Amino acid sequence: MAPTSTPQTPFGRVLTAMVTPFTADGALDLDGAQQLAAHLVDAGNDGLVLNGTTGESPTTSDAEKVQLVRAVVDAVGDRAFVVAGAGTNDTHHSLELARAAQDAGAHGLLAVTPYYSKPPQEGLLRHFTAIADATDLPVMLYDIPGRSGVPINTETIVRLAEHPRIVANKDAKGDLGRASWAIARSGLAWYSGDDMLNLPLLSVGAIGFVSVVGHVVTPELRALLDAHLNGDVTKATEIHQKLLPVFTGMFRTQGVITTKAALGLQGLPGGPLRLPLVELSPEETEQLKRDLAAGGVQL
């Protein structure tokens, strides 16, 4: 049974976009995934996002995606939201992934803007609507033009928000002005998808985070959020500034690479990467250690 949601916080407030652990030979590590999921929920996450970019979704098969969702739901689904990535640049394939995720027990769907093909806004509207129509699950849009090549325009977001199952947006657009208008006009639950902008997005109406650095600093993210909700702007700013080295260090290169390295340094499941991603060099690993230490992360 899923945790209790509200219209204001349909997936909770603090979620981590979880890596997909692999074994030494590159196979899916379901035991490791369950262990990592439990660790992240114990640390204070309300939910986990699986099969997203941080989950190396471009290199996992449909069958592996289903197995991962089922394993994580079994491990933590009674105390955390499990949101499954179902977005691709092929609407038909996305519908298949959405239905499979629902069958595997997911509590919600993450639908990224179709990438590479650069559809017009009408194409985005029809794509996301088709995904929302495909299952009974609530949907979080994922607006990340830096990867997809196309933003979801504010007018499109407002129209999509009329769908009863499109309830949230993960914002990695990096535009606080457009975020402000979209939040005000759409009424969607707004989640920061850019860790460096977690606090600024809260200030214009976001209700929480879908984080990468949550793999290593979930308690701090929770403290930042709680301080903001309690009106203690000074404390929230202090926590934000303390975490700046972590935000910077975890994105010196591609985020999955640094996240799996950080998990390895902490003795947590992550395992190797699948090509075209590659492990950090020894020099990059030492820099990551310095960045994490500067942000107060114990290794």
Side-chain angles (χ1 to χ4, degrees):
M1 184 175 180
T4 302
S5 65
T6 71
Q8 293 74 31
T9 57
F11 305 108
R13 291 188 182 272
V14 179
L15 297 88
T16 290
M18 197 178 96
V19 302
T20 300
F22 299 129
T23 60
D25 62 358
L28 189 63
D29 181 5
L30 294 177
D31 289 341
Q34 291 185 320
Q35 181 184 340
L36 179 60
H39 167 80
L40 292 172
V41 174
D42 289 344
N45 280 284
D46 300 317
L48 301 171
V49 175
L50 308 179
N51 297 326
T53 308
T54 310
E56 294 179 77
S57 60
T59 60
T60 58
S61 69
D62 291 3
E64 288 175 323
K65 289 177 172 66
V66 169
Q67 291 169 2
L68 181 67
V69 171
R70 187 172 289 117
V72 172
V73 169
D74 286 346
V76 299
D78 59 339
R79 58 195 184 104
F81 295 97
V82 177
V83 181
T88 72
N89 59 353
D90 172 0
T91 303
H92 178 72
H93 187 201
S94 299
L95 303 186
E96 292 179 338
L97 290 176
R99 294 177 183 123
Q102 177 171 257
D103 291 344
H107 304 131
L109 301 173
L110 180 74
V112 70
T113 314
Y115 40 85
Y116 187 73
S117 50
K118 300 180 75 170
Q121 293 299 306
E122 181 62 26
L124 298 186
L125 184 73
R126 296 186 194 184
H127 173 83
F128 289 124
T129 299
I131 292 174
D133 285 341
T135 78
D136 300 322
L137 298 178
V139 175
M140 181 189 296
L141 306 174
Y142 183 13
D143 188 8
I144 182 165
R147 288 186 184 274
S148 68
V150 176
I152 312 175
N153 290 345
T154 300
E155 291 294 335
T156 307
I157 292 173
V158 171
R159 290 176 67 187
L160 288 167
E162 296 173 1
H163 195 291
R165 283 188 292 280
I166 296 178
V167 299
N169 183 59
K170 177 184 176 184
D171 184 353
K173 189 178 280 176
D175 188 325
L176 292 172
R178 286 202 281 185
S180 299
W181 273 111
I183 293 168
R185 293 185 58 205
S186 72
L188 292 178
W190 213 260
Y191 291 85
S192 170
D194 183 344
D195 280 305
M196 186 66 83
L197 297 183
N198 284 346
L199 180 57
L201 278 166
L202 288 179
S203 73
V204 298
I207 58 91
F209 322 128
V210 178
S211 173
V212 173
V213 304
H215 284 91
V216 292
V217 291
T218 287
E220 290 80 0
L221 294 180
R222 173 67 68 181
L224 186 157
L225 177 66
D226 289 345
H228 183 272
L229 292 174
N230 291 329
D232 193 340
V233 177
T234 299
K235 182 178 180 181
T237 303
E238 289 173 352
I239 298 170
H240 169 76
Q241 291 176 349
K242 175 187 174 183
L243 291 175
L244 288 175
V246 180
F247 297 154
T248 298
M250 291 287 281
F251 294 100
R252 288 187 186 274
T253 185
Q254 207 270 0
V256 185
I257 296 173
T258 48
T259 299
K260 284 198 167 182
L263 291 172
L265 291 171
Q266 293 187 310
L268 291 166
L273 299 136
R274 289 182 177 176
L275 286 171
L277 301 184
V278 294
E279 281 73 16
L280 292 181
S281 68
E283 295 77 16
E284 289 171 324
T285 300
E286 290 305 312
Q287 179 63 59
L288 178 62
K289 289 179 181 178
R290 291 192 292 271
D291 292 329
L292 294 177
V297 178
Q298 299 296 316
L299 298 175

